[in-house]
Amino acid sequence: MASGRLSVVRGAIRVAGVLLAAATADLAAAAGAAETIPSQVGCLRLKSDCGLDTASDDAAAFEQCQEELVHLGGGCVVVPAGQYRVSGVMLNASNTAWFFEDGVAMEPWPGLQKSVALISIGASEPTATSSPSNITIMGPPGAQHTGGWTMDVSRPLFCPWHTHGVQVGSVTGFRIANLLIKQADNETIPNLLCGQDSPAMGTGKGKDGRSPMYGEVTNITAVGGTPGYGLIQLQSAQHVHFSNLEGVGGYTLRLETGGNSGGDPSVMVNNI
């Protein structure tokens, strides 16, 4: 973030100055700043405010919280420690932040028979006329090493489906931080035929044809990656800064510019 810290005022997200730095130099300077936890005063809580039912797909509680944030015109949600099984959470409401507390573990809903990302950010409909803006998802500082916020996509699903942690589509102004993603290691889990050979995180054009812009992806580790796949597969992005990333097995950051990806102008990386 640049030109001010993220804060919560009357349930809405505000940033002093500009939302995200428009200049890549500003993004580079911001990357060296110490990690801070924004205020969570006034945030909704997933368990107490959004009808979480641990006997069913937990994605419904995320959706209920998001609908409330849309009604409020923005805001934040705290996801308390616990185990969450989801069939895919779509976060596409502007001016929202999701804070995952120490001890949050996410995994696919059992028996899921489709390819899915546990969390997707950005416009999802081909008919969308605009992209959402200002979306943050972040765990506690140090989570990429301690497992404070973990996504476990190591369990094979029914063939030929596969799953990964985060998918980023068309969004302007976003931040993803402090996360550990566990992937399936083919040396211990024979998962190639079951489609688990996929990146932990994908970034590319949304279904509306627009690229993610002005974002930061930082402090993320993936373990158990496979050759050719690993932490991040980047197909299209503009003015996005990647920092403090680690992949154990497979690659850490894979940039693609061919086909219909749209290329990767103004992408910055450090400490990969």
Side-chain angles (χ1 to χ4, degrees):
M1 304 297 294
S3 301
R5 293 294 182 186
L6 186 70
S7 61
V8 180
V9 181
R10 296 197 183 103
I13 300 301
R14 295 289 184 268
V15 179
V18 297
L19 169 62
L20 280 173
T24 53
D26 291 337
L27 283 175
E35 183 70 61
T36 60
I37 296 296
S39 170
Q40 297 177 7
V41 175
C43 291
L44 299 175
R45 297 189 67 86
L46 190 75
K47 288 187 176 181
S48 59
D49 296 326
C50 302
L52 181 69
D53 179 2
T54 56
S56 61
D57 181 358
D58 295 328
F62 284 86
E63 177 60 30
Q64 183 170 329
C65 271
Q66 181 166 239
E67 290 178 359
E68 180 64 20
L69 294 183
V70 170
H71 178 73
L72 294 172
C76 53
V77 176
V78 174
V79 181
Q83 185 80 23
Y84 299 89
R85 297 180 174 181
V86 299
S87 60
V89 175
M90 172 60 71
L91 302 180
N92 54 15
S94 296
N95 303 317
T96 56
W98 301 76
F99 302 124
F100 294 79
E101 289 187 334
D102 191 13
V104 170
M106 301 181 70
E107 63 181 29
W109 177 251
L112 192 64
Q113 297 190 43
K114 64 177 181 178
S115 298
V116 69
L118 297 187
I119 293 180
S120 297
I121 300 175
S124 61
E125 298 300 327
T127 57
T129 58
S130 63
S131 301
S133 61
N134 192 16
I135 299 177
T136 292
I137 60 173
M138 65 182 299
Q144 73 272 27
H145 297 134
T146 65
W149 175 27
T150 301
M151 289 183 172
D152 189 343
V153 294
S154 65
R155 296 172 179 81
L157 301 178
F158 293 103
C159 299
W161 316 116
H162 61 85
T163 184
H164 50 273
V166 181
Q167 178 69 38
V168 183
S170 54
V171 56
T172 301
F174 66 94
R175 189 167 195 260
I176 304 169
N178 309 333
L179 171 62
L180 173 66
I181 303 178
K182 297 180 180 180
Q183 297 175 276
D185 185 338
N186 283 333
E187 294 183 359
T188 58
I189 301 177
N191 61 352
L192 279 174
L193 295 179
C194 288
Q196 289 294 301
D197 197 21
S198 61
M201 181 181 299
T203 302
K205 288 185 177 181
K207 292 183 179 180
D208 59 359
R210 291 183 289 270
S211 301
M213 299 177 62
Y214 299 109
E216 182 183 20
V217 180
T218 186
N219 301 333
I220 300 175
T221 296
V223 296
T226 60
Y229 291 91
L231 177 52
I232 295 177
Q233 180 179 6
L234 175 65
Q235 294 183 329
S236 180
Q238 299 182 44
H239 304 290
V240 176
H241 188 200
F242 297 89
S243 65
N244 303 329
L245 306 179
E246 181 180 10
V248 181
Y251 61 80
T252 299
L253 177 61
R254 171 173 154 180
L255 308 179
E256 298 184 356
T257 58
N260 297 319
S261 68
D264 315 307
S266 305
V267 167
M268 295 184 62
V269 300
N270 73 287
N271 195 25
I272 306 300

